[in-house]
Amino acid sequence: MGVPLNPFVIMIAAALTSNMVLSNFLGMCSFISVSKDIKTANGLGMAVTFVLTLTSVLNYIVYYYILLPLNLDYLRYIVFIVVIAAFVQFLEMVIDRFSPALYINLGIFLPLITVNCAILGGVLFMIIREYSLIQSLFFGFGSGAGWWLAIVALSAMRMRMREKDLPPQLVGPGITMIIIGIMALAFMGFSGMLPVQ
Amino acid sequence: MAESKKTVFLANIWKNNPVIVQILGICSALAVTNNLTNTLIMGVGLIFVTAFSSLTISALRRMIPKNVRMMVQVLIIATYVIILDIVLKAYLPSISKALGPYVGLIITNCIIMGRAEAFAQSHGSVLSFLDGVSAGIGYSLVLLAVAFIRELLGFGTVFGVRVMPGGFTPWVIMIMAPSAFFILGAIIWIARTPIVKKK
């Protein structure tokens, strides 16, 4: 695109109109497996938002200031995933050292995040859409916040579904997919609110 | 021996299907299921990456230190994804463009990591390779089923060829994201019926 969009518009668009999970199918694995309980879902959502915001910026710097000048564009997948993994590892150590309370809440989710498609997906979208540094920061935060919102909403619904009398084949993943489908329909209501997709 | 080549191969396609039974790896690929051609290419790519990374990881399994194995596995997978990306860009540029970031996202597809952890880590190279191929096929079959329904109802075509009669009104919802969730939910529902009955 390369259009000088308002970073704030990008953030809202990433969170609502083109939500990471509901319209781009990113981060589905943990979206389904960790959404059984609202508290854990909240913790993971928070961790994803935090990591996604910072790795977007980090990978922006690595891509435009190291990879492109050296003509190593084709190595970008390896470099991105290494940056993400290293950052998550680093974050885990820092949190463990300075805030044990936060570590208990957030720490267990950090290893999961390295292989969360939403993070790598966010970074790749940022490169493909040619966002600037500020736009990337807002895009990363918006995508993370959208993911957080979606997983908390889904886990709340799943907790209520637990007592319902479902056909046995649908219990678990089947009904979850259908709930996510309805959520995606609801989120489509946001489209048209903003000029970008 | 319980794990002959044939049983390993067949288990992943039906009884232990990665998508239907294990709910793994739907991340990267649902997005391309509104078009059969793209889905097919994605499936073939995924089979390639899963098979060869399983093979490599299994061949190196005695040399990889336990505590950094995740990192090593991710690097091996990323290497094959880069190969796939370059090949696609060279020979199928238009499809490579349509798939966009989703080729790169194969790296974080849980199926590949899952097979590496659950199988390649503890089995021989040939078996791991077959396991990778069949996990990829089992996965692609489900995606192709979703894509078939979406393309047929959303555009009235199959592989780009018109099959629906002239008066057919395309279902716009089928092109959009929610339909993929509904169809996958329905497929899981149908596929689980025999499993539940057995219990």
Short mmCIF file of all heavy atoms in Angstrom, two decimals, chain A residues 90-128:
data_model
loop_
_atom_site.label_atom_id
_atom_site.label_comp_id
_atom_site.label_asym_id
_atom_site.label_seq_id
_atom_site.Cartn_x
_atom_site.Cartn_y
_atom_site.Cartn_z
N PHE A 90 14.29 -13.50 26.34
CA PHE A 90 14.82 -12.37 27.09
C PHE A 90 13.76 -11.82 28.04
O PHE A 90 14.00 -11.58 29.23
CB PHE A 90 15.28 -11.29 26.10
CG PHE A 90 15.68 -9.99 26.73
CD1 PHE A 90 16.87 -9.88 27.43
CD2 PHE A 90 14.87 -8.88 26.61
CE1 PHE A 90 17.23 -8.69 28.02
CE2 PHE A 90 15.23 -7.68 27.19
CZ PHE A 90 16.42 -7.58 27.91
N LEU A 91 12.57 -11.64 27.50
CA LEU A 91 11.46 -11.11 28.29
C LEU A 91 11.17 -12.00 29.49
O LEU A 91 10.94 -11.53 30.60
CB LEU A 91 10.23 -11.03 27.39
CG LEU A 91 9.09 -10.18 27.89
CD1 LEU A 91 9.50 -8.74 27.90
CD2 LEU A 91 7.89 -10.38 26.99
N GLU A 92 11.22 -13.31 29.25
CA GLU A 92 10.94 -14.25 30.31
C GLU A 92 11.94 -14.07 31.45
O GLU A 92 11.57 -14.05 32.63
CB GLU A 92 11.05 -15.67 29.74
CG GLU A 92 10.26 -16.68 30.53
CD GLU A 92 10.37 -18.06 29.92
OE1 GLU A 92 10.66 -18.16 28.71
OE2 GLU A 92 10.17 -19.02 30.66
N MET A 93 13.23 -13.90 31.09
CA MET A 93 14.25 -13.73 32.13
C MET A 93 14.05 -12.43 32.88
O MET A 93 14.15 -12.37 34.10
CB MET A 93 15.63 -13.79 31.49
CG MET A 93 16.00 -15.19 31.06
SD MET A 93 17.70 -15.36 30.55
CE MET A 93 17.80 -14.37 29.09
N VAL A 94 13.74 -11.35 32.13
CA VAL A 94 13.58 -10.05 32.77
C VAL A 94 12.40 -10.07 33.75
O VAL A 94 12.52 -9.64 34.90
CB VAL A 94 13.37 -8.94 31.72
CG1 VAL A 94 12.96 -7.64 32.38
CG2 VAL A 94 14.64 -8.74 30.92
N ILE A 95 11.28 -10.62 33.29
CA ILE A 95 10.10 -10.65 34.15
C ILE A 95 10.38 -11.50 35.39
O ILE A 95 10.04 -11.14 36.51
CB ILE A 95 8.88 -11.18 33.38
CG1 ILE A 95 8.51 -10.21 32.27
CG2 ILE A 95 7.70 -11.35 34.32
CD1 ILE A 95 7.34 -10.67 31.45
N ASP A 96 11.04 -12.62 35.19
CA ASP A 96 11.34 -13.51 36.30
C ASP A 96 12.21 -12.81 37.33
O ASP A 96 12.04 -12.97 38.54
CB ASP A 96 12.07 -14.75 35.75
CG ASP A 96 12.19 -15.83 36.81
OD1 ASP A 96 11.38 -15.80 37.75
OD2 ASP A 96 13.08 -16.68 36.67
N ARG A 97 13.14 -11.99 36.84
CA ARG A 97 14.08 -11.33 37.73
C ARG A 97 13.41 -10.19 38.50
O ARG A 97 13.62 -10.01 39.68
CB ARG A 97 15.25 -10.80 36.89
CG ARG A 97 16.24 -9.92 37.59
CD ARG A 97 17.21 -10.71 38.46
NE ARG A 97 18.14 -9.85 39.15
CZ ARG A 97 17.80 -9.04 40.14
NH1 ARG A 97 16.56 -9.01 40.56
NH2 ARG A 97 18.72 -8.28 40.73
N PHE A 98 12.60 -9.39 37.80
CA PHE A 98 12.12 -8.16 38.42
C PHE A 98 10.71 -8.24 39.00
O PHE A 98 10.35 -7.46 39.86
CB PHE A 98 12.19 -6.99 37.43
CG PHE A 98 13.60 -6.60 37.12
CD1 PHE A 98 14.20 -6.96 35.93
CD2 PHE A 98 14.35 -5.89 38.06
CE1 PHE A 98 15.52 -6.61 35.66
CE2 PHE A 98 15.65 -5.55 37.80
CZ PHE A 98 16.25 -5.91 36.59
N SER A 99 9.88 -9.13 38.48
CA SER A 99 8.53 -9.16 39.00
C SER A 99 7.99 -10.58 39.05
O SER A 99 7.31 -11.04 38.14
CB SER A 99 7.63 -8.27 38.12
OG SER A 99 6.30 -8.55 38.42
N PRO A 100 8.32 -11.29 40.13
CA PRO A 100 7.87 -12.69 40.24
C PRO A 100 6.35 -12.81 40.16
O PRO A 100 5.84 -13.81 39.64
CB PRO A 100 8.38 -13.11 41.63
CG PRO A 100 9.46 -12.15 41.95
CD PRO A 100 9.12 -10.87 41.28
N ALA A 101 5.63 -11.82 40.65
CA ALA A 101 4.16 -11.91 40.63
C ALA A 101 3.65 -11.92 39.19
O ALA A 101 2.80 -12.72 38.81
CB ALA A 101 3.56 -10.73 41.39
N LEU A 102 4.22 -11.02 38.39
CA LEU A 102 3.83 -10.97 36.98
C LEU A 102 4.26 -12.25 36.27
O LEU A 102 3.57 -12.75 35.39
CB LEU A 102 4.46 -9.75 36.32
CG LEU A 102 4.01 -9.44 34.90
CD1 LEU A 102 2.54 -9.09 34.89
CD2 LEU A 102 4.83 -8.31 34.30
N TYR A 103 5.42 -12.78 36.70
CA TYR A 103 5.92 -13.99 36.06
C TYR A 103 4.95 -15.15 36.22
O TYR A 103 4.72 -15.93 35.30
CB TYR A 103 7.28 -14.37 36.65
CG TYR A 103 7.92 -15.54 35.95
CD1 TYR A 103 8.50 -15.37 34.70
CD2 TYR A 103 7.94 -16.80 36.52
CE1 TYR A 103 9.07 -16.43 34.04
CE2 TYR A 103 8.51 -17.87 35.86
CZ TYR A 103 9.08 -17.68 34.62
OH TYR A 103 9.65 -18.73 33.96
N ILE A 104 4.35 -15.24 37.41
CA ILE A 104 3.40 -16.32 37.65
C ILE A 104 2.19 -16.17 36.73
O ILE A 104 1.67 -17.14 36.19
CB ILE A 104 2.98 -16.34 39.13
CG1 ILE A 104 4.19 -16.76 39.97
CG2 ILE A 104 1.82 -17.29 39.36
CD1 ILE A 104 4.03 -16.53 41.44
N ASN A 105 1.76 -14.92 36.52
CA ASN A 105 0.58 -14.70 35.67
C ASN A 105 0.88 -14.84 34.19
O ASN A 105 0.06 -15.32 33.42
CB ASN A 105 0.01 -13.30 35.92
CG ASN A 105 -0.71 -13.24 37.23
OD1 ASN A 105 -1.36 -14.21 37.63
ND2 ASN A 105 -0.58 -12.13 37.93
N LEU A 106 2.04 -14.35 33.80
CA LEU A 106 2.33 -14.21 32.37
C LEU A 106 3.33 -15.24 31.89
O LEU A 106 3.29 -15.69 30.74
CB LEU A 106 2.91 -12.80 32.15
CG LEU A 106 2.61 -12.12 30.84
CD1 LEU A 106 1.13 -11.77 30.81
CD2 LEU A 106 3.42 -10.84 30.75
N GLY A 107 4.22 -15.64 32.80
CA GLY A 107 5.39 -16.44 32.42
C GLY A 107 5.07 -17.72 31.69
O GLY A 107 5.71 -18.04 30.69
N ILE A 108 4.05 -18.45 32.16
CA ILE A 108 3.78 -19.74 31.55
C ILE A 108 3.34 -19.61 30.10
O ILE A 108 3.43 -20.54 29.33
CB ILE A 108 2.71 -20.53 32.34
CG1 ILE A 108 1.56 -19.62 32.72
CG2 ILE A 108 3.31 -21.18 33.56
CD1 ILE A 108 0.33 -20.35 33.16
N PHE A 109 2.86 -18.42 29.72
CA PHE A 109 2.38 -18.29 28.35
C PHE A 109 3.48 -17.91 27.38
O PHE A 109 3.33 -18.04 26.18
CB PHE A 109 1.30 -17.21 28.27
CG PHE A 109 0.15 -17.50 29.16
CD1 PHE A 109 -0.11 -16.72 30.26
CD2 PHE A 109 -0.65 -18.60 28.93
CE1 PHE A 109 -1.15 -17.01 31.10
CE2 PHE A 109 -1.69 -18.90 29.76
CZ PHE A 109 -1.94 -18.11 30.86
N LEU A 110 4.58 -17.40 27.93
CA LEU A 110 5.59 -16.85 27.04
C LEU A 110 6.15 -17.88 26.05
O LEU A 110 6.23 -17.58 24.86
CB LEU A 110 6.69 -16.18 27.85
CG LEU A 110 6.23 -14.83 28.42
CD1 LEU A 110 7.27 -14.26 29.35
CD2 LEU A 110 5.93 -13.85 27.31
N PRO A 111 6.52 -19.09 26.50
CA PRO A 111 7.04 -20.05 25.52
C PRO A 111 6.05 -20.34 24.40
O PRO A 111 6.43 -20.54 23.25
CB PRO A 111 7.31 -21.31 26.36
CG PRO A 111 7.41 -20.83 27.75
CD PRO A 111 6.55 -19.64 27.86
N LEU A 112 4.75 -20.34 24.74
CA LEU A 112 3.72 -20.60 23.74
C LEU A 112 3.73 -19.56 22.62
O LEU A 112 3.32 -19.83 21.50
CB LEU A 112 2.34 -20.52 24.39
CG LEU A 112 1.73 -21.76 24.99
CD1 LEU A 112 0.40 -21.42 25.59
CD2 LEU A 112 1.56 -22.80 23.90
N ILE A 113 4.18 -18.36 22.98
CA ILE A 113 4.03 -17.24 22.06
C ILE A 113 4.97 -17.34 20.86
O ILE A 113 4.64 -16.91 19.77
CB ILE A 113 4.24 -15.93 22.84
CG1 ILE A 113 2.99 -15.68 23.65
CG2 ILE A 113 4.52 -14.79 21.93
CD1 ILE A 113 3.04 -14.44 24.42
N THR A 114 6.14 -17.95 21.07
CA THR A 114 7.09 -18.06 19.96
C THR A 114 6.45 -18.69 18.74
O THR A 114 6.68 -18.27 17.61
CB THR A 114 8.31 -18.90 20.39
OG1 THR A 114 8.73 -18.42 21.65
CG2 THR A 114 9.41 -18.79 19.40
N VAL A 115 5.64 -19.72 18.97
CA VAL A 115 5.05 -20.40 17.83
C VAL A 115 3.62 -19.93 17.57
O VAL A 115 2.86 -20.58 16.87
CB VAL A 115 5.07 -21.93 17.99
CG1 VAL A 115 6.47 -22.45 17.79
CG2 VAL A 115 4.51 -22.34 19.33
N ASN A 116 3.25 -18.78 18.12
CA ASN A 116 1.91 -18.26 17.84
C ASN A 116 1.93 -17.54 16.49
O ASN A 116 2.71 -16.61 16.28
CB ASN A 116 1.52 -17.28 18.95
CG ASN A 116 0.10 -16.85 18.84
OD1 ASN A 116 -0.41 -16.65 17.75
ND2 ASN A 116 -0.55 -16.70 19.97
N CYS A 117 1.09 -17.98 15.58
CA CYS A 117 1.15 -17.43 14.22
C CYS A 117 0.83 -15.95 14.20
O CYS A 117 1.23 -15.24 13.28
CB CYS A 117 0.20 -18.12 13.27
SG CYS A 117 -0.42 -19.67 13.81
N ALA A 118 0.09 -15.47 15.21
CA ALA A 118 -0.30 -14.06 15.17
C ALA A 118 0.92 -13.15 15.20
O ALA A 118 0.94 -12.11 14.56
CB ALA A 118 -1.22 -13.74 16.35
N ILE A 119 1.95 -13.56 15.93
CA ILE A 119 3.13 -12.70 16.05
C ILE A 119 3.86 -12.61 14.71
O ILE A 119 4.08 -11.54 14.17
CB ILE A 119 4.09 -13.27 17.12
CG1 ILE A 119 3.35 -13.60 18.40
CG2 ILE A 119 5.25 -12.33 17.33
CD1 ILE A 119 3.05 -12.44 19.25
N LEU A 120 4.21 -13.79 14.17
CA LEU A 120 4.92 -13.79 12.88
C LEU A 120 4.03 -13.18 11.80
O LEU A 120 4.50 -12.43 10.95
CB LEU A 120 5.32 -15.23 12.51
CG LEU A 120 6.16 -15.36 11.26
CD1 LEU A 120 7.49 -14.65 11.43
CD2 LEU A 120 6.39 -16.81 10.90
N GLY A 121 2.72 -13.49 11.86
CA GLY A 121 1.81 -12.94 10.87
C GLY A 121 1.79 -11.42 10.92
O GLY A 121 1.84 -10.75 9.88
N GLY A 122 1.73 -10.86 12.13
CA GLY A 122 1.74 -9.41 12.28
C GLY A 122 2.98 -8.81 11.65
O GLY A 122 2.92 -7.82 10.92
N VAL A 123 4.12 -9.45 11.91
CA VAL A 123 5.38 -8.93 11.38
C VAL A 123 5.38 -8.99 9.84
O VAL A 123 5.77 -8.03 9.17
CB VAL A 123 6.56 -9.72 11.96
CG1 VAL A 123 7.84 -9.34 11.28
CG2 VAL A 123 6.66 -9.49 13.44
N LEU A 124 4.89 -10.11 9.29
CA LEU A 124 4.90 -10.24 7.83
C LEU A 124 3.94 -9.25 7.17
O LEU A 124 4.26 -8.66 6.13
CB LEU A 124 4.54 -11.67 7.42
CG LEU A 124 5.58 -12.72 7.78
CD1 LEU A 124 5.10 -14.10 7.40
CD2 LEU A 124 6.89 -12.43 7.08
N PHE A 125 2.77 -9.04 7.79
CA PHE A 125 1.84 -8.05 7.25
C PHE A 125 2.46 -6.67 7.23
O PHE A 125 2.32 -5.90 6.29
CB PHE A 125 0.55 -8.01 8.08
CG PHE A 125 -0.49 -8.97 7.60
CD1 PHE A 125 -1.08 -9.88 8.46
CD2 PHE A 125 -0.89 -8.97 6.27
CE1 PHE A 125 -2.03 -10.78 8.01
CE2 PHE A 125 -1.84 -9.85 5.82
CZ PHE A 125 -2.41 -10.77 6.70
N MET A 126 3.18 -6.36 8.32
CA MET A 126 3.81 -5.06 8.43
C MET A 126 4.80 -4.85 7.29
O MET A 126 4.87 -3.77 6.70
CB MET A 126 4.51 -5.00 9.78
CG MET A 126 5.52 -3.93 9.95
SD MET A 126 6.49 -4.30 11.41
CE MET A 126 7.95 -5.00 10.69
N ILE A 127 5.56 -5.91 6.92
CA ILE A 127 6.54 -5.78 5.85
C ILE A 127 5.83 -5.66 4.49
O ILE A 127 6.14 -4.79 3.67
CB ILE A 127 7.47 -7.01 5.83
CG1 ILE A 127 8.25 -7.11 7.13
CG2 ILE A 127 8.42 -6.95 4.63
CD1 ILE A 127 9.21 -5.99 7.38
N ILE A 128 4.81 -6.52 4.28
CA ILE A 128 4.14 -6.54 2.99
C ILE A 128 3.40 -5.23 2.73
O ILE A 128 3.40 -4.70 1.62
CB ILE A 128 3.18 -7.74 2.92
CG1 ILE A 128 4.00 -9.01 2.75
CG2 ILE A 128 2.19 -7.60 1.77
CD1 ILE A 128 3.21 -10.26 2.77
#
